[in-house]
Amino acid sequence: MKIQSIELWSVPLTLRSPFTTSFGTYRQLDRPFVIVRTTDGVIGVGEAPTLSDPAYKAECDPYAVMTSLQTFIIPAVIKRQQEIGSIGTVDDLRASYAWVKGAGFAKSGVEAAFWDIEAQQKQQPLWQLWGGRARQFPVGVSIGGNTVEDVLKRAETAVGLGYQRLKVKIWPGFDAAPAEALRKAYPDILLQVDANSAYTLDTWSDLKALDDLDLLLIEQPLYDDDIVLHSEIATQLKTPVCLDESVHSLRDAQAAMHLWQKNGILNRLIINIKPPRVSGFAEAVEIANACNDQQVRTWIGGMLDSAWTKAMNLNFNGLDCIDLPGDHFSPGGPYFERDLTLEPLSAPNGIFTLTDGISTGLTFDWQTFEELGTKVATFEG
Ligand code: OSB
Ligand code: MG
């Protein structure tokens, strides 16, 4: 595959409903997009699903991602092509920028565009490229509200649409109340909570109040870069602890499995695999398989992604080794006022069905993309 050009775009996407986490409320998100054109006319589209600031993770903001892409990553890919003639595989691509430390979100944007190209060249859906099958699976929603009433209202809409799995954002002072209210309203629903690293060693024991609510998991209670302390507090909770922010690579996932195993609680480890947090789908697929080998349950998390990237994540969810419902849909219809696919994503009764459609299975909406977006830079191959 020979690259003709790589373009970097910035696209503002506006949420239909504000999304609140322990670290802030988001309404508009400026998204870096990478457009790769090959010399034989194939176009690949990849999004780096940034938030507005680095409050979730280092380098998950559009400024860091744009700088990394523009200054280091894309020039490294172009240079590699000049040296070896073409970038034949995603492995070649990753090798070209492997020397860049961190920058997972930025790398994932380029990698996604290459997967889109590879799928088109092979005339295959992404799920097939990644070793999955066109299966049906339940999907869930993530509720980011800032009062119990708001959370209950969002949950009611989601359950009304047929979703059977809810995740609610919590933080110190706003934890047992929303979780108890949801459990009371929906005694049988799959329910989980996400703290986005809002607790410390002094405050995490508040979470013991959630231990009798039959929760599926408690996600990322402690520090965003910690695995060891999570493995220790996990011994004192009946509810499985799920890692999100702490896992950046296959090695991190292996370290977590090692520590939970050592503590005799491996069946209470769950990993949220977010492709951009681990630098892209190649690493994400490796993590999914490694966890499955040790019977550690996984699910696919989201970053308030556009429908284009949600569709990629749903294809990834087609792998048989993914056990639990992922965050692919908003609790109340589409996430964005204007989104970037011609066909809306849908999951009737909370069940998503993969198709034989090439690549993501959806059509990228170039008109909306060009109306909303701005081209920031072009690199010639
Ligand atoms: O931790 O999963 C998270 C959104 C922003 C930052 C962090 C997280 C989230 C979500 C989004 O929960 C869920 C989705 O994209 O559907
Ligand atoms: Mg999370």
Side-chain angles (χ1 to χ4, degrees), residues 32 48 117 121 131 141 193 202 214 228 280 283 289 308 323 331 342-343 374 379:
I117 289 174
Q121 285 174 333
V141 300
V193 297
D202 293 329
D214 193 24
V228 176
E283 190 85 7
N289 285 316
W308 182 251
D323 309 280
L342 291 182
E343 312 82 358
T374 310
F379 299 80

Side-chain angles (χ1 to χ4, degrees), residues 314-330:
L314 284 156
N315 273 269
F316 177 30
N317 210 142
L319 272 61
D320 282 323
C321 56
I322 307 291
D323 309 280
L324 299 170
D327 286 340
H328 303 292
F329 288 87
S330 101

Side-chain angles (χ1 to χ4, degrees), residues 7-13 31-37 42-48 109 112-113 116-117 120 126 305-312 315 336 338-345 357-374:
E7 293 169 11
L8 191 53
W9 287 65
S10 174
V11 185
L13 297 176
R31 286 284 160 77
F33 273 78
V34 179
I35 310 292
V36 178
R37 294 174 202 275
V42 183
I43 307 178
V45 178
E47 172 182 12
D116 185 25
I117 289 174
Q120 292 175 67
L126 285 167
D305 327 73
S306 75
W308 182 251
T309 301
K310 287 286 185 202
M312 289 193 177
N315 273 269
F336 295 104
R338 297 180 71 190
D339 212 324
L340 298 175
T341 58
L342 291 182
E343 312 82 358
L345 276 173
I358 306 296
S359 187
T360 63
L362 300 183
T363 317
F364 192 67
D365 183 347
W366 286 101
Q367 192 181 330
T368 304
F369 177 77
E370 284 172 12
E371 270 173 42
L372 296 178
T374 310

Side-chain angles (χ1 to χ4, degrees), residues 94-347:
R94 298 179 80 206
S96 72
Y97 50 67
W99 60 275
V100 177
K101 305 291 189 288
F105 276 69
K107 291 172 181 172
S108 79
V110 184
E111 208 199 275
F114 271 74
W115 283 117
D116 185 25
I117 289 174
E118 188 167 330
Q120 292 175 67
Q121 285 174 333
K122 295 192 169 149
Q123 292 285 294
Q124 281 182 6
L126 285 167
W127 55 257
Q128 199 171 356
L129 265 188
W130 293 328
R133 59 190 173 97
R135 61 178 184 138
Q136 287 196 319
F137 45 84
V139 289
V141 300
S142 177
I143 299 178
N146 51 18
T147 62
V148 172
E149 295 68 46
D150 183 13
V151 164
L152 283 174
K153 211 169 94 213
R154 291 178 196 233
E156 195 184 333
T157 315
V159 173
L161 291 169
Y163 293 104
Q164 296 154 48
R165 176 284 215 176
L166 306 175
K167 153 171 146 179
V168 65
K169 295 291 186 181
I170 59 162
W171 49 87
F174 188 73
D175 39 34
E180 277 166 11
L182 285 171
R183 181 47 86 217
K184 190 160 161 240
Y186 308 106
D188 300 320
I189 211 153
L190 280 181
L191 181 61
Q192 58 194 70
V193 297
D194 186 0
N196 284 114
S197 58
Y199 294 81
T200 65
L201 279 187
D202 293 329
T203 58
W204 76 269
S205 57
D206 293 358
L207 296 169
K208 289 182 177 165
L210 280 64
D211 227 2
D212 289 320
L213 294 176
D214 193 24
L215 301 180
L216 181 57
L217 59 90
I218 298 175
E219 185 175 347
Q220 197 72 28
L222 298 176
Y223 318 100
D224 78 284
D225 57 355
D226 164 79
I227 298 177
V228 176
L229 297 170
H230 278 96
S231 77
E232 286 173 13
I233 70 164
T235 63
Q236 296 175 59
L237 290 164
K238 287 181 284 178
T239 311
V241 167
C242 170
L243 296 179
D244 172 356
E245 281 89 327
S246 306
V247 176
H248 313 89
S249 62
L250 174 61
R251 284 187 299 99
D252 283 345
Q254 286 166 335
M257 289 192 277
H258 176 75
L259 289 169
W260 261 255
Q261 171 85 58
K262 242 173 103 176
N263 290 346
I265 51 168
L266 192 59
N267 61 349
R268 277 188 273 146
L269 172 64
I270 295 180
I271 294 185
N272 169 353
I273 308 179
K274 280 189 190 169
R277 199 198 59 224
V278 302
S279 83
F281 287 100
E283 190 85 7
V285 170
E286 286 188 41
I287 294 172
N289 285 316
C291 288
N292 189 245
D293 287 347
Q294 300 212 43
Q295 293 173 5
V296 167
R297 287 170 291 170
T298 56
W299 54 281
I300 317 301
M303 285 300 297
L304 309 172
D305 327 73
S306 75
W308 182 251
T309 301
K310 287 286 185 202
M312 289 193 177
N313 287 346
L314 284 156
N315 273 269
F316 177 30
N317 210 142
L319 272 61
D320 282 323
C321 56
I322 307 291
D323 309 280
L324 299 170
D327 286 340
H328 303 292
F329 288 87
S330 101
Y335 261 122
F336 295 104
E337 283 178 3
R338 297 180 71 190
D339 212 324
L340 298 175
T341 58
L342 291 182
E343 312 82 358
L345 276 173
S346 73

